[in-house]
Amino acid sequence: MAREASTIKTRNRLNRGDGGWAYAFIAVALVVYAMFTAYPVISAFIISFQNYQPLGSTYVGFENYENVFKSALFWKAMGNTVIYTLLTVPVALLLSFGVAILIMPLRKWMQTSFKAIYYLPAVASGVALSVVWLWIFDPMQGGILNQLLGAFGIPSQNWLGSSSTSMFSLVLMSWLSSHGTSIIIYVAALLGIDNSYYEAADIDGASFLQKMWHIVIPCLKPTTLFLLVTGVIGSFQVFQNAYLMTGGGPDHSTTMVGLLIFDTAFKYFEFGDAAAQSLVLALVIAIMAFVQFKFLGKDVEY
Amino acid sequence: MTKRSRLTASVLALTVAAGVLGACGSNNGNEPAGNAAGNTGGEGAAAAKDTITALLPPVSANFQANFKQMETEFNKQYPNLTLKIEPASWEDMTQKLDTQVNAGSPPDIAFMGSEGIAKYVPMGMVMDIKDVVTPEMIADFDEGPLKYMYNGEGLFGFPAYMEVHAIGGNKPFLEEAGIDWKKIQQSGWTFDEFREAIKKGVVKEGDTTKRYGFVFATAGVTSKDYLGILVKNAGMPAAFDKDLKYAYTSKNYLTLLTNIRQMIDDGSMPKELSSIDAGKRWNMFLTGQTMITGKGMAVFENSSRLNNEKLDANDGSAVKDSIKTDYVVLPVPSFAGQPAVANAIVDGYVTFRGKKEPTAEHKANVAKAAYFLASGQVAATTNSELFSAPITKSSREAMKSIESKQSDYNKAAVEHLLSTAAPARPDIPAELAAKAIKLETEVIVPKLQSLLAGETTPEKMYEDVKKAAIDTFGADGVVQD
């Protein structure tokens, strides 16, 4: 009995000791999280109720939120962001999935080469990519895309300068770049599907499409849900493309919420309004993610 | 894990955590060196040591290359003072400064346009140096440019140069079109005369336009420049009239918008104008795709000359497909029968303060540093590289030893334009100026982009701007003629 008690005492002491070390180790991550994530969020929450000034802010209650909800520009930006998300995220998933399926049967070294090629834009500077796209969207007759259209007898387009084509131009840019991460995730998920499923399907005489529908797509559902949720979140936060390519114009046809928040904060120094806009955006994103998990994640097993 | 390695690891972990906490501490590292020194400097002797920080972009070609020399020269002049210059690119400058300002720790001096002062006044972050500048410093500056650095009664730095943003033509093309550019340089032109001239400058091959009469950069934020430069010549030299009523609701504004659209509809300007950025329109000038370009600055003569030299030397770095050009400074035409008013740009060294109240001694030291940068040899070198006229007696003197490559006729044209420059408006309250900037960014620029793209009419844009202006300033706060 005494021996048993001694063993427990020793174990507790050991556990307590390891717990202490664990706290010391996670302190780094915890401090970094607290300083660079939790603190800015809490700070933004506080600022959203203030008229922020570096030399002393004043409490204004819900005035900033009222400004946000009454602003026609905020709702227009929100509408633009939703349109951009609807046009880009599903296509991005389809393209990534398609490319991953095409890569799968290849030899290992070719798979790796293709994955590297598709991932390359993710490591390239967004600014450099935008410069290339500006070149592609050159509105004059000598512009690359206009020359291409000219070959089919289609007149030149003012891609970024016209409200009718500016959003499409940003969407096209998104369609044709930055699928590397999703492709790698899909390929990894495809590799995780047990071969016995395919063997059983072969025995039953299933076609390629039947295997796709009954094996691949269900097995990839968790991956697709993950990419959908992160894609929607990323798309709602889109800023760089609009900022560098159109500046939100013409006539706010490409002003996204992210760009509006930036303008509110750094052009007008209305940090209170900007913080309120950010938190409303965060809430919208959280609701979107919740709805996606609620309705699409029902039968997903992780 | 052994006891020793656990100890080592935990020490390292805690060191990193403490480092992060220390680096993010709010009141030590973020306070500018200058302000920190300034806050303690007041108690010591007159020659107490102090550091002045400056955030400076590449103002002219060799400006940033001379930073070390500037710091040394300043220290030689004021042995107790250290000038610490932080370089920034033009692209990063505003964002970097705004971040520092909003964190309450800006540099002591930042280079920026004088119109930006109004943005920082309501925040209380720009530093009024009126009480610490010496009469000698003030006397060195030309009165006109210096006034641009005032807001209300406060003086918030010193001007580096005053230059005119106008338009510029390619001499051979102007002469080919029969345009008497020498006369126009001195006498100006009306919109109708200008409209006819740019029509003559158009060269077509079948349905394809090989050369436009006039191309102005209007993509994105440059559309603000386009309207801003033209509107001064339409009877609205500032966004507010003398009674502080918002001016862009005047009927002259509608006339201007109509004229802007007419130039595109005539085919004298490209229909894709709304997507042409600053780089593209300069490329179009150098490659002979336009007769007149905008906005035009005096220094473009130098860019044109350098490209010509490269073409002569068969240098591969010459602009692709470029031809030899001869840049001629031209005034912007006048609209709606109003007098021509040149768009003067005064950029300078604006003085800032941190969260803590700076001492009088530190303020005086910052003023010394701003004056050092804005006058004498430093200003002379900058002005010479930018082809801009000196605005201090000391830099005029220093410029005598610097050889100018600017042509006499362009020099005379710039001087003439400066004589018609819009006067500074320090009387416009910062709150009104901030509202006007917001109106410009949220309504005018987006609507102008639509107008240029042919998606709205001048009348519709005018009504939209007028409605937004009345919403912002009230019916009594806008011009109604």
Side-chain angles (χ1 to χ4, degrees):
Chain A
M1 191 73 178
R3 199 172 171 184
E4 202 177 302
S6 159
T7 314
I8 290 167
K9 206 174 170 184
T10 313
R11 203 184 295 145
N12 283 346
R13 203 166 52 233
L14 277 173
N15 285 347
R16 195 167 58 238
D18 278 349
W21 295 119
Y23 284 122
F25 292 136
I26 64 168
V28 179
L30 203 63
V31 168
V32 169
Y33 170 79
M35 298 308 297
F36 297 109
T37 306
Y39 173 72
V41 170
I42 294 165
S43 191
F45 182 74
I46 295 167
I47 290 171
S48 72
F49 294 101
Q50 291 177 332
N51 175 17
Y52 176 82
Q53 293 289 342
L55 296 183
S57 306
T58 47
Y59 176 74
V60 294
F62 285 92
E63 191 184 310
N64 294 325
Y65 287 95
E66 277 177 41
N67 292 342
V68 171
F69 290 120
K70 280 183 189 165
S71 164
L73 186 55
F74 178 77
W75 293 113
K76 179 162 190 176
M78 193 58 92
N80 287 339
T81 311
V82 170
I83 291 169
Y84 181 80
T85 303
L86 289 175
L87 291 174
T88 55
V89 177
V91 175
L93 287 181
L94 276 175
L95 284 173
S96 310
F97 178 72
V99 172
I101 292 288
L102 290 172
I103 286 176
M104 272 304 286
L106 302 176
R107 287 180 188 173
K108 181 82 181 153
W109 67 269
M110 279 188 77
Q111 267 189 24
T112 311
S113 305
F114 274 109
K115 279 193 275 185
I117 289 166
Y118 282 112
Y119 197 73
L120 211 56
V123 292
S125 150
V127 178
L129 289 176
S130 294
V131 171
V132 174
W133 277 102
L134 284 171
W135 189 38
I136 292 170
F137 288 133
D138 187 333
M140 308 305 279
Q141 283 176 342
I144 294 177
L145 207 49
N146 277 341
Q147 281 192 46
L148 195 68
L149 290 185
F152 298 100
I154 302 170
S156 295
Q157 299 294 318
N158 190 358
W159 294 105
L160 300 169
S162 164
S163 302
S164 54
T165 49
S166 55
M167 178 61 88
F168 171 74
S169 303
L170 295 189
V171 169
L172 183 68
M173 194 178 157
S174 165
W175 284 349
L176 299 181
S177 55
S178 303
H179 300 304
T181 312
S182 308
I183 290 169
I184 287 173
I185 291 171
Y186 263 132
V187 169
L190 285 168
L191 289 169
I193 300 173
D194 201 298
N195 264 337
S196 59
Y197 292 132
Y198 299 120
E199 285 161 7
D202 284 336
I203 292 166
D204 291 343
S207 67
F208 172 79
L209 286 177
Q210 283 172 322
K211 279 191 251 180
M212 194 69 92
W213 185 252
H214 294 289
I215 300 172
V216 176
I217 292 176
C219 287
L220 291 189
K221 203 168 174 188
T223 310
T224 305
L225 181 63
F226 166 75
L227 289 174
L228 178 69
V229 172
T230 53
V232 168
I233 292 172
S235 184
F236 262 77
Q237 293 174 333
V238 71
F239 164 76
Q240 188 172 267
N241 289 1
Y243 178 68
L244 293 171
M245 301 293 291
T246 60
D251 202 9
H252 294 300
S253 60
T254 55
T255 299
M256 313 289 181
V257 181
L259 182 62
L260 183 69
I261 293 170
F262 176 84
D263 284 349
T264 309
F266 291 102
K267 272 192 185 159
Y268 317 133
F269 286 172
E270 291 172 353
F271 283 90
D273 281 353
Q277 288 169 349
S278 308
L279 291 171
V280 171
L281 176 65
L283 187 68
V284 170
I285 291 174
I287 292 169
M288 297 276 294
F290 175 77
V291 168
Q292 287 171 87
F293 275 117
K294 183 87 181 162
F295 293 100
L296 302 173
K298 268 182 189 168
D299 53 345
V300 170
E301 286 176 23
Y302 296 96
Chain B
M1 191 183 272
T2 64
K3 210 171 181 181
R4 198 171 163 185
S5 60
R6 271 194 294 201
L7 189 69
T8 315
S10 58
V11 167
L12 283 171
L14 288 170
T15 309
V16 175
V20 172
L21 281 169
C24 294
S26 57
N27 287 325
N28 43 18
N30 288 347
E31 194 63 29
N35 286 339
N39 289 330
T40 55
E43 297 162 10
K49 287 196 170 179
D50 196 359
T51 299
I52 297 107
T53 55
L55 182 68
L56 307 179
V59 175
S60 63
N62 298 308
F63 188 68
Q64 290 192 327
N66 292 334
F67 280 174
K68 275 278 156 255
Q69 197 187 333
M70 289 181 202
E71 288 171 348
T72 311
E73 287 293 323
F74 181 72
N75 187 245
K76 209 184 280 179
Q77 205 168 324
Y78 303 102
N80 61 318
L81 303 180
T82 304
L83 177 62
K84 201 173 153 193
I85 303 176
E86 188 192 339
S89 67
W90 278 116
E91 292 77 20
D92 292 343
M93 185 68 201
T94 310
Q95 211 170 325
K96 224 172 183 175
L97 180 64
D98 285 351
T99 308
Q100 292 178 350
V101 167
N102 284 293
S105 55
D108 293 311
I109 296 168
F111 188 91
M112 53 183 266
S114 57
E115 81 281 354
I117 293 172
K119 191 168 100 168
Y120 300 102
V121 169
M123 306 171 84
M125 296 301 285
V126 274
M127 188 169 75
D128 183 3
I129 55 170
K130 187 180 67 217
D131 298 334
V132 292
V133 293
T134 63
E136 292 77 25
M137 288 178 185
I138 296 291
D140 195 21
F141 286 92
D142 293 350
E143 198 185 345
L146 185 64
K147 271 193 176 167
Y148 277 80
M149 304 306 284
Y150 280 89
N151 189 281
E153 294 295 311
L155 174 63
F156 298 101
F158 287 123
Y161 54 75
M162 183 178 192
E163 64 178 4
V164 172
H165 284 181
I167 53 178
N170 187 4
K171 199 197 286 181
F173 293 165
L174 291 170
E175 288 172 352
E176 192 182 301
I179 297 165
D180 188 354
W181 57 269
K182 272 190 180 168
K183 182 171 170 262
I184 290 162
Q185 275 192 331
Q186 292 304 318
S187 313
W189 40 8
T190 62
F191 172 70
D192 290 336
E193 290 165 345
F194 181 72
R195 189 179 176 187
E196 286 312 307
I198 57 175
K199 272 184 194 169
K200 287 181 201 162
V202 176
V203 175
K204 283 193 152 195
E205 267 182 29
D207 287 339
T208 310
T209 304
K210 288 289 169 190
R211 187 197 304 158
Y212 289 96
F214 182 35
V215 174
F216 203 108
T218 63
V221 290
T222 54
S223 51
K224 191 175 80 170
D225 289 343
Y226 185 44
L227 198 53
I229 290 169
L230 300 191
V231 79
K232 289 191 168 56
N233 296 275
M236 292 161 278
F240 295 92
D241 69 5
K242 282 178 183 163
D243 301 325
L244 295 180
K245 290 195 172 186
Y246 191 70
Y248 298 161
T249 48
S250 154
K251 283 274 182 278
N252 288 341
Y253 197 71
L254 175 59
T255 307
L256 173 66
L257 298 178
T258 307
N259 294 159
I260 284 174
R261 194 57 234 172
Q262 280 170 336
M263 290 187 280
I264 300 172
D265 293 338
D266 286 346
S268 305
M269 297 185 91
K271 66 180 191 320
E272 304 86 357
L273 191 70
S274 60
S275 289
I276 292 177
D277 60 21
K280 177 77 184 171
R281 60 87 205 206
W282 185 240
N283 178 278
M284 290 177 79
F285 183 83
L286 292 179
T287 53
Q289 294 179 69
T290 182
M291 177 178 74
I292 296 175
T293 192
K295 65 181 176 194
M297 294 188 281
V299 72
F300 288 1
E301 181 185 353
N302 198 34
S303 307
S304 160
R305 184 182 58 79
L306 291 173
N307 196 61
N308 290 345
E309 284 175 8
K310 285 177 183 172
L311 288 172
D312 287 338
N314 230 355
D315 185 335
S317 66
V319 172
K320 190 172 174 261
D321 300 329
S322 60
I323 56 167
K324 285 183 90 168
T325 53
D326 198 345
Y327 187 84
V328 170
V329 173
L330 292 171
V332 173
S334 56
F335 297 84
Q338 297 296 317
V341 175
N343 184 47
I345 296 296
V346 175
D347 295 341
Y349 302 93
V350 176
T351 48
F352 285 86
R353 53 162 287 181
K355 274 183 179 168
K356 287 182 187 170
E357 183 68 33
T359 61
E361 189 186 12
H362 182 63
K363 280 170 82 173
N365 292 338
V366 173
K368 281 176 194 165
Y371 176 69
F372 169 80
L373 293 167
S375 62
Q377 190 61 45
V378 177
T381 310
T382 311
N383 288 327
S384 158
E385 287 181 0
L386 291 175
F387 280 26
S388 58
I391 54 169
T392 59
K393 293 183 184 79
S394 57
S395 59
R396 248 177 229 119
E397 193 58 36
M399 265 184 103
K400 284 178 184 167
S401 59
I402 302 173
E403 192 195 344
S404 170
K405 287 178 176 163
Q406 189 175 20
S407 61
D408 291 338
Y409 50 84
N410 277 345
K411 200 182 276 183
V414 170
E415 276 169 19
H416 177 70
L417 286 172
L418 283 171
S419 70
T420 68
R425 291 292 304 275
D427 60 307
I428 297 173
E431 291 75 18
L432 276 187
K435 282 182 181 176
I437 290 172
K438 191 166 185 183
L439 187 66
E440 182 183 50
T441 313
E442 285 197 346
V443 181
I444 296 178
V445 169
K447 297 293 172 198
L448 178 67
Q449 289 167 343
S450 280
L451 178 71
L452 296 174
E455 294 172 350
T456 191
T457 61
E459 292 76 16
K460 177 81 175 66
M461 176 176 168
Y462 173 71
E463 287 308 321
D464 288 343
V465 172
K466 192 171 176 181
K467 183 183 174 302
I470 290 173
D471 288 347
T472 307
F473 301 107
D476 293 338
V478 303
V479 170
Q480 309 232 32
D481 51 12

PDB file of all heavy atoms in Angstrom, chain B residues 199-215:
ATOM      1  N   LYS B 199      -6.376  67.926 -82.180  1.00  0.00           N
ATOM      2  CA  LYS B 199      -6.987  67.229 -83.322  1.00  0.00           C
ATOM      3  C   LYS B 199      -5.961  67.127 -84.455  1.00  0.00           C
ATOM      4  O   LYS B 199      -5.855  66.091 -85.131  1.00  0.00           O
ATOM      5  CB  LYS B 199      -8.209  68.006 -83.820  1.00  0.00           C
ATOM      6  CG  LYS B 199      -9.511  67.657 -83.125  1.00  0.00           C
ATOM      7  CD  LYS B 199     -10.643  68.429 -83.782  1.00  0.00           C
ATOM      8  CE  LYS B 199     -11.896  68.416 -82.953  1.00  0.00           C
ATOM      9  NZ  LYS B 199     -12.900  69.356 -83.454  1.00  0.00           N
ATOM     10  N   LYS B 200      -5.209  68.233 -84.633  1.00  0.00           N
ATOM     11  CA  LYS B 200      -4.194  68.256 -85.710  1.00  0.00           C
ATOM     12  C   LYS B 200      -3.054  67.282 -85.426  1.00  0.00           C
ATOM     13  O   LYS B 200      -2.343  66.852 -86.335  1.00  0.00           O
ATOM     14  CB  LYS B 200      -3.622  69.667 -85.857  1.00  0.00           C
ATOM     15  CG  LYS B 200      -4.570  70.651 -86.500  1.00  0.00           C
ATOM     16  CD  LYS B 200      -3.859  71.994 -86.609  1.00  0.00           C
ATOM     17  CE  LYS B 200      -4.833  73.144 -86.741  1.00  0.00           C
ATOM     18  NZ  LYS B 200      -4.202  74.429 -86.423  1.00  0.00           N
ATOM     19  N   GLY B 201      -2.860  66.973 -84.156  1.00  0.00           N
ATOM     20  CA  GLY B 201      -1.748  66.086 -83.791  1.00  0.00           C
ATOM     21  C   GLY B 201      -2.031  64.616 -84.040  1.00  0.00           C
ATOM     22  O   GLY B 201      -1.125  63.778 -83.971  1.00  0.00           O
ATOM     23  N   VAL B 202      -3.278  64.274 -84.316  1.00  0.00           N
ATOM     24  CA  VAL B 202      -3.647  62.860 -84.501  1.00  0.00           C
ATOM     25  C   VAL B 202      -3.161  62.358 -85.859  1.00  0.00           C
ATOM     26  O   VAL B 202      -3.336  63.014 -86.877  1.00  0.00           O
ATOM     27  CB  VAL B 202      -5.180  62.682 -84.383  1.00  0.00           C
ATOM     28  CG1 VAL B 202      -5.582  61.234 -84.665  1.00  0.00           C
ATOM     29  CG2 VAL B 202      -5.667  63.117 -83.012  1.00  0.00           C
ATOM     30  N   VAL B 203      -2.537  61.194 -85.853  1.00  0.00           N
ATOM     31  CA  VAL B 203      -2.096  60.563 -87.108  1.00  0.00           C
ATOM     32  C   VAL B 203      -2.752  59.191 -87.191  1.00  0.00           C
ATOM     33  O   VAL B 203      -2.644  58.396 -86.251  1.00  0.00           O
ATOM     34  CB  VAL B 203      -0.557  60.411 -87.134  1.00  0.00           C
ATOM     35  CG1 VAL B 203      -0.120  59.652 -88.377  1.00  0.00           C
ATOM     36  CG2 VAL B 203       0.122  61.769 -87.076  1.00  0.00           C
ATOM     37  N   LYS B 204      -3.432  58.943 -88.301  1.00  0.00           N
ATOM     38  CA  LYS B 204      -4.154  57.666 -88.432  1.00  0.00           C
ATOM     39  C   LYS B 204      -3.652  56.872 -89.620  1.00  0.00           C
ATOM     40  O   LYS B 204      -3.206  57.448 -90.619  1.00  0.00           O
ATOM     41  CB  LYS B 204      -5.647  57.935 -88.605  1.00  0.00           C
ATOM     42  CG  LYS B 204      -6.354  58.303 -87.306  1.00  0.00           C
ATOM     43  CD  LYS B 204      -7.851  58.253 -87.485  1.00  0.00           C
ATOM     44  CE  LYS B 204      -8.519  57.936 -86.173  1.00  0.00           C
ATOM     45  NZ  LYS B 204      -9.880  57.527 -86.305  1.00  0.00           N
ATOM     46  N   GLU B 205      -3.736  55.570 -89.518  1.00  0.00           N
ATOM     47  CA  GLU B 205      -3.492  54.680 -90.661  1.00  0.00           C
ATOM     48  C   GLU B 205      -4.713  53.810 -90.794  1.00  0.00           C
ATOM     49  O   GLU B 205      -4.924  52.880 -89.991  1.00  0.00           O
ATOM     50  CB  GLU B 205      -2.258  53.811 -90.387  1.00  0.00           C
ATOM     51  CG  GLU B 205      -0.968  54.406 -90.917  1.00  0.00           C
ATOM     52  CD  GLU B 205       0.220  53.486 -90.670  1.00  0.00           C
ATOM     53  OE1 GLU B 205       0.031  52.241 -90.608  1.00  0.00           O
ATOM     54  OE2 GLU B 205       1.317  54.029 -90.516  1.00  0.00           O
ATOM     55  N   GLY B 206      -5.564  54.157 -91.733  1.00  0.00           N
ATOM     56  CA  GLY B 206      -6.856  53.463 -91.825  1.00  0.00           C
ATOM     57  C   GLY B 206      -7.685  53.817 -90.595  1.00  0.00           C
ATOM     58  O   GLY B 206      -7.824  54.976 -90.240  1.00  0.00           O
ATOM     59  N   ASP B 207      -8.160  52.754 -89.898  1.00  0.00           N
ATOM     60  CA  ASP B 207      -8.949  52.991 -88.691  1.00  0.00           C
ATOM     61  C   ASP B 207      -8.069  53.032 -87.436  1.00  0.00           C
ATOM     62  O   ASP B 207      -8.559  53.285 -86.332  1.00  0.00           O
ATOM     63  CB  ASP B 207      -9.998  51.870 -88.525  1.00  0.00           C
ATOM     64  CG  ASP B 207     -11.123  52.028 -89.534  1.00  0.00           C
ATOM     65  OD1 ASP B 207     -11.296  53.157 -90.034  1.00  0.00           O
ATOM     66  OD2 ASP B 207     -11.807  51.034 -89.825  1.00  0.00           O
ATOM     67  N   THR B 208      -6.792  52.726 -87.615  1.00  0.00           N
ATOM     68  CA  THR B 208      -5.917  52.642 -86.450  1.00  0.00           C
ATOM     69  C   THR B 208      -5.230  53.986 -86.194  1.00  0.00           C
ATOM     70  O   THR B 208      -4.650  54.570 -87.108  1.00  0.00           O
ATOM     71  CB  THR B 208      -4.829  51.562 -86.680  1.00  0.00           C
ATOM     72  OG1 THR B 208      -5.496  50.376 -87.106  1.00  0.00           O
ATOM     73  CG2 THR B 208      -4.036  51.298 -85.419  1.00  0.00           C
ATOM     74  N   THR B 209      -5.312  54.437 -84.949  1.00  0.00           N
ATOM     75  CA  THR B 209      -4.639  55.685 -84.580  1.00  0.00           C
ATOM     76  C   THR B 209      -3.183  55.373 -84.244  1.00  0.00           C
ATOM     77  O   THR B 209      -2.902  54.599 -83.329  1.00  0.00           O
ATOM     78  CB  THR B 209      -5.339  56.334 -83.368  1.00  0.00           C
ATOM     79  OG1 THR B 209      -6.708  56.512 -83.695  1.00  0.00           O
ATOM     80  CG2 THR B 209      -4.718  57.676 -83.026  1.00  0.00           C
ATOM     81  N   LYS B 210      -2.280  55.970 -85.011  1.00  0.00           N
ATOM     82  CA  LYS B 210      -0.851  55.744 -84.775  1.00  0.00           C
ATOM     83  C   LYS B 210      -0.299  56.753 -83.772  1.00  0.00           C
ATOM     84  O   LYS B 210       0.704  56.502 -83.100  1.00  0.00           O
ATOM     85  CB  LYS B 210      -0.072  55.870 -86.090  1.00  0.00           C
ATOM     86  CG  LYS B 210      -0.293  54.717 -87.030  1.00  0.00           C
ATOM     87  CD  LYS B 210       0.406  53.473 -86.484  1.00  0.00           C
ATOM     88  CE  LYS B 210      -0.003  52.229 -87.249  1.00  0.00           C
ATOM     89  NZ  LYS B 210       0.456  51.007 -86.618  1.00  0.00           N
ATOM     90  N   ARG B 211      -0.915  57.925 -83.743  1.00  0.00           N
ATOM     91  CA  ARG B 211      -0.465  58.948 -82.797  1.00  0.00           C
ATOM     92  C   ARG B 211      -1.678  59.747 -82.321  1.00  0.00           C
ATOM     93  O   ARG B 211      -2.508  60.149 -83.145  1.00  0.00           O
ATOM     94  CB  ARG B 211       0.535  59.898 -83.453  1.00  0.00           C
ATOM     95  CG  ARG B 211       1.154  60.877 -82.466  1.00  0.00           C
ATOM     96  CD  ARG B 211       1.805  62.048 -83.167  1.00  0.00           C
ATOM     97  NE  ARG B 211       2.793  61.629 -84.139  1.00  0.00           N
ATOM     98  CZ  ARG B 211       3.188  62.387 -85.149  1.00  0.00           C
ATOM     99  NH1 ARG B 211       2.663  63.599 -85.335  1.00  0.00           N
ATOM    100  NH2 ARG B 211       4.077  61.953 -86.003  1.00  0.00           N
ATOM    101  N   TYR B 212      -1.751  59.900 -80.994  1.00  0.00           N
ATOM    102  CA  TYR B 212      -2.831  60.721 -80.428  1.00  0.00           C
ATOM    103  C   TYR B 212      -2.334  62.155 -80.256  1.00  0.00           C
ATOM    104  O   TYR B 212      -1.121  62.407 -80.153  1.00  0.00           O
ATOM    105  CB  TYR B 212      -3.277  60.159 -79.083  1.00  0.00           C
ATOM    106  CG  TYR B 212      -4.029  58.845 -79.213  1.00  0.00           C
ATOM    107  CD1 TYR B 212      -3.371  57.625 -79.056  1.00  0.00           C
ATOM    108  CD2 TYR B 212      -5.383  58.836 -79.528  1.00  0.00           C
ATOM    109  CE1 TYR B 212      -4.048  56.428 -79.201  1.00  0.00           C
ATOM    110  CE2 TYR B 212      -6.072  57.642 -79.682  1.00  0.00           C
ATOM    111  CZ  TYR B 212      -5.405  56.443 -79.519  1.00  0.00           C
ATOM    112  OH  TYR B 212      -6.080  55.256 -79.674  1.00  0.00           O
ATOM    113  N   GLY B 213      -3.292  63.060 -80.168  1.00  0.00           N
ATOM    114  CA  GLY B 213      -2.919  64.458 -79.940  1.00  0.00           C
ATOM    115  C   GLY B 213      -2.520  64.699 -78.499  1.00  0.00           C
ATOM    116  O   GLY B 213      -1.619  65.477 -78.208  1.00  0.00           O
ATOM    117  N   PHE B 214      -3.190  63.989 -77.584  1.00  0.00           N
ATOM    118  CA  PHE B 214      -2.978  64.256 -76.153  1.00  0.00           C
ATOM    119  C   PHE B 214      -3.252  62.980 -75.358  1.00  0.00           C
ATOM    120  O   PHE B 214      -4.290  62.339 -75.535  1.00  0.00           O
ATOM    121  CB  PHE B 214      -3.954  65.368 -75.730  1.00  0.00           C
ATOM    122  CG  PHE B 214      -3.863  65.813 -74.299  1.00  0.00           C
ATOM    123  CD1 PHE B 214      -2.654  65.861 -73.616  1.00  0.00           C
ATOM    124  CD2 PHE B 214      -5.012  66.223 -73.621  1.00  0.00           C
ATOM    125  CE1 PHE B 214      -2.584  66.295 -72.301  1.00  0.00           C
ATOM    126  CE2 PHE B 214      -4.962  66.659 -72.300  1.00  0.00           C
ATOM    127  CZ  PHE B 214      -3.744  66.689 -71.644  1.00  0.00           C
ATOM    128  N   VAL B 215      -2.318  62.605 -74.499  1.00  0.00           N
ATOM    129  CA  VAL B 215      -2.520  61.458 -73.607  1.00  0.00           C
ATOM    130  C   VAL B 215      -2.114  61.878 -72.199  1.00  0.00           C
ATOM    131  O   VAL B 215      -0.994  62.329 -71.984  1.00  0.00           O
ATOM    132  CB  VAL B 215      -1.678  60.230 -74.039  1.00  0.00           C
ATOM    133  CG1 VAL B 215      -1.797  59.122 -72.998  1.00  0.00           C
ATOM    134  CG2 VAL B 215      -2.138  59.712 -75.390  1.00  0.00           C
TER     135      VAL B 215
END
